[in-house]
Amino acid sequence: MPTPPKRTGGVLVWSAALLFPFALFATITLPGGGDGNLLQLPLVALALLLPLGLARRSPLAGLLVLLAGGTAVLFLVQDETFGRILILAVVIVADGMTGHVAATRPRRLSLPAAALTAVVQGNLALTIGQAGDVPTVLTVILLGVITAWVIGDSVRQRRRHAATQREQAEARAVEAERLRIARELHDMVAHSIAVIAVQAGMGRRVIDTQPAEARNALANIEDTSRETAAALRRMLVSLRRSDGGSAPAPRDPAPGLADLDDLVTRSAQAGVEIRLRRHGDRTPLPPDIDLSAFRIVQEAVTNVIRHAGTGHCDVGVQQDDRALTIEVTDDGPGTGEPAVASSGNGLTGMRERVSLLGGEFASGPRPGGGFRIAATIPLPEGTR
């Protein structure tokens, strides 16, 4: 349905532009001479609007219509004074349209258009200008065309640069979101798999001698796997892009330090007891800091389950009005360090999270044995 009006509008614009030379000729042949010609200037301005209307749809076509129609008619002007006024009006409008062509079309089209404009304007000036004024007039015309083209081309380059910047910003945002999702998936799946692996190993060892404990281990495996599958499903659903009129898929709230108790429960099921200590304020944290803090603790506990070889660890969280401090320690014989740390996960992932928030991260073996992970995240001034 909307196509016919657009097509009809285009035909009207082209028809009006092609009537430009006839309208201009009718204007300059109106009766009246001498000073009476000044009354024709408003009509000339109205005539010049015809190719300007076409220039909005097709800048190059509008410029060609103006140059061709204006040249054909202005050669018929008998009054020298009125002819100069008309040439000046055509030159100004042509320069503006040349700048518009340079702003909206590539240089392979705008440069020939600017050169053609300069040649046509120079020929018009030669027909009316006096011999002594010709060099000055031609210089002014050439400078006018060059200035209009340079301004238009600068506008085009600025628009292209802005578009490139927007595309790069969108690409960086997409890449950052992918990295965030990758970290979230890694932390969530790694912790769940570590719990399942420990439960499965314990169940295998006691299935013959302690069937009840084996059933409890299988139940814990079932609960953990269901929770992980549900979390994965929610995360994948949240990534779906909404269609034209549909609303975006709802996103579940991200985990935070308030969920540490659930983490303690799941870790206990995996055979690692967490001694959780929280000191200082309990005021709500910004979402990005709250999520990152939870993931750091979760990943550190996962490392203890998989690598420390101990049945307990200490988690300390201290919050004041300036910083959030997290410390996870164990006294196991293992390193507590994930084997995949060098590949971008584990310790490297935790360090990246803290670095993105402007904090400090440290990890390494403890002097008396075991492993220690510490992170300090500065808090915004508004967090009280």
Side-chain angles (χ1 to χ4, degrees), residues 66-145:
L66 175 69
L67 294 177
T71 302
V73 175
L74 290 177
F75 276 118
L76 303 178
V77 177
Q78 301 297 324
D79 189 311
E80 181 176 341
T81 302
F82 187 58
R84 288 186 175 182
I85 295 175
L86 288 179
I87 290 177
L88 179 61
V90 172
V91 166
I92 293 175
V93 175
D95 285 348
M97 295 176 69
T98 300
H100 184 48
V101 171
T104 56
R105 295 296 182 268
R107 289 180 178 177
R108 59 184 177 84
L109 295 178
S110 64
L111 281 173
L116 177 63
T117 301
V119 171
V120 172
Q121 291 180 357
N123 288 331
L124 288 175
L126 290 177
T127 60
I128 294 184
Q130 298 178 358
D133 297 336
V134 168
T136 302
V137 172
L138 292 179
T139 301
V140 171
I141 287 175
L142 183 60
L143 289 177
V145 173

Side-chain angles (χ1 to χ4, degrees), residues 173-188:
V174 170
E175 184 66 21
E177 181 68 7
R178 288 177 177 174
L179 290 175
R180 184 191 69 80
I181 293 171
R183 284 195 295 265
E184 295 301 315
L185 287 174
H186 166 263
D187 294 344
M188 179 178 60

Side-chain angles (χ1 to χ4, degrees), residues 86-349:
L86 288 179
I87 290 177
L88 179 61
V90 172
V91 166
I92 293 175
V93 175
D95 285 348
M97 295 176 69
T98 300
H100 184 48
V101 171
T104 56
R105 295 296 182 268
R107 289 180 178 177
R108 59 184 177 84
L109 295 178
S110 64
L111 281 173
L116 177 63
T117 301
V119 171
V120 172
Q121 291 180 357
N123 288 331
L124 288 175
L126 290 177
T127 60
I128 294 184
Q130 298 178 358
D133 297 336
V134 168
T136 302
V137 172
L138 292 179
T139 301
V140 171
I141 287 175
L142 183 60
L143 289 177
V145 173
I146 292 176
T147 301
W149 183 87
V150 169
I151 293 175
D153 189 66
S154 299
V155 171
R156 183 182 65 85
Q157 291 187 21
R158 188 161 56 248
R159 289 174 179 172
R160 186 174 62 180
H161 178 70
T164 302
Q165 291 292 97
R166 286 194 299 270
E167 292 176 358
Q168 292 177 351
E170 292 175 359
R172 288 193 296 268
V174 170
E175 184 66 21
E177 181 68 7
R178 288 177 177 174
L179 290 175
R180 184 191 69 80
I181 293 171
R183 284 195 295 265
E184 295 301 315
L185 287 174
H186 166 263
D187 294 344
M188 179 178 60
V189 174
H191 178 76
S192 300
I193 293 300
V195 172
I196 291 174
V198 172
Q199 290 289 329
M202 183 181 68
R204 180 179 58 83
R205 288 192 297 269
V206 302
I207 191 170
D208 294 327
T209 58
Q210 303 179 40
E213 291 296 329
R215 282 194 295 270
N216 290 334
L218 291 176
N220 291 331
I221 290 174
E222 181 181 9
D223 293 339
T224 302
S225 60
R226 287 183 185 277
E227 292 176 2
T228 304
L232 285 173
R233 184 163 53 250
R234 289 193 299 267
M235 182 172 291
L236 294 176
V237 169
S238 69
L239 294 177
R240 293 177 182 172
R241 296 294 182 262
S242 58
D243 296 332
S246 61
R251 301 187 63 175
D252 290 341
L257 293 180
D259 300 294
L260 286 181
D261 292 335
D262 294 336
L263 180 64
V264 171
T265 302
R266 291 196 301 269
S267 299
Q269 294 173 354
V272 174
E273 179 185 354
I274 299 179
R275 293 189 290 264
L276 177 62
R277 302 186 309 276
R278 299 196 63 171
H279 305 285
D281 300 333
R282 292 290 187 95
T283 54
L285 295 170
D288 55 340
I289 296 179
D290 199 22
L291 172 62
S292 295
F294 176 82
R295 292 305 188 194
I296 290 170
V297 175
Q298 183 186 52
E299 180 65 22
V301 171
T302 302
N303 293 343
V304 174
I305 296 174
R306 298 175 62 183
H307 307 285
T310 183
H312 59 269
C313 69
D314 295 313
V315 175
V317 178
Q318 181 173 352
Q319 177 183 341
D320 55 34
D321 57 351
R322 292 182 300 176
L324 175 69
T325 303
I326 299 171
E327 185 179 55
V328 181
T329 59
D330 67 79
D331 55 1
T335 63
E337 179 178 1
V340 294
S342 60
S343 65
N345 299 321
L347 295 179
T348 303

